[in-house]
Amino acid sequence: SMQIRDLSRTGLFAVTEEKLPVGAVFLGELRLPVADLTEHAFEVRVRVVRRTELGLGLELVSPQPALLAALDAC
């Protein structure tokens, strides 16, 4: 579980204690609110591009068109 900050079409910053190395790629689930205030879950592949004391800078790898549309609507 990670707290997300600075979410965009290209990536996000995840506040976490995980110590994944830069370059690591993993699958996760990103939950976004939709129009009726429910959540929609998207499977995402992310790459660690930065690591700080607060967490990880993650790049979205080949994001689904539906995810990009949901991010545009947020």
Side-chain angles (χ1 to χ4, degrees):
S1 174
M2 300 176 177
Q3 181 182 24
I4 303 302
R5 294 187 184 168
D6 300 327
L7 178 61
S8 73
R9 289 175 58 94
T10 58
L12 54 106
F13 186 81
V15 177
T16 181
E17 293 180 6
E18 294 292 328
K19 303 295 183 203
L20 299 171
V22 171
V25 176
F26 63 95
L27 286 174
E29 183 178 84
L30 181 60
R31 294 175 181 258
L32 296 176
V34 291
D36 61 358
L37 299 179
T38 61
E39 287 183 333
H40 186 84
F42 295 92
E43 184 176 274
V44 294
R45 180 178 300 275
V46 293
R47 177 181 300 113
V48 179
V49 293
R50 183 169 52 112
R51 197 171 87 187
T52 73
E53 292 179 9
L54 294 176
L56 303 171
L58 303 173
E59 173 187 36
L60 296 174
V61 178
S62 301
Q64 304 166 18
L67 170 59
L68 296 177
L71 288 171
D72 289 343
C74 286

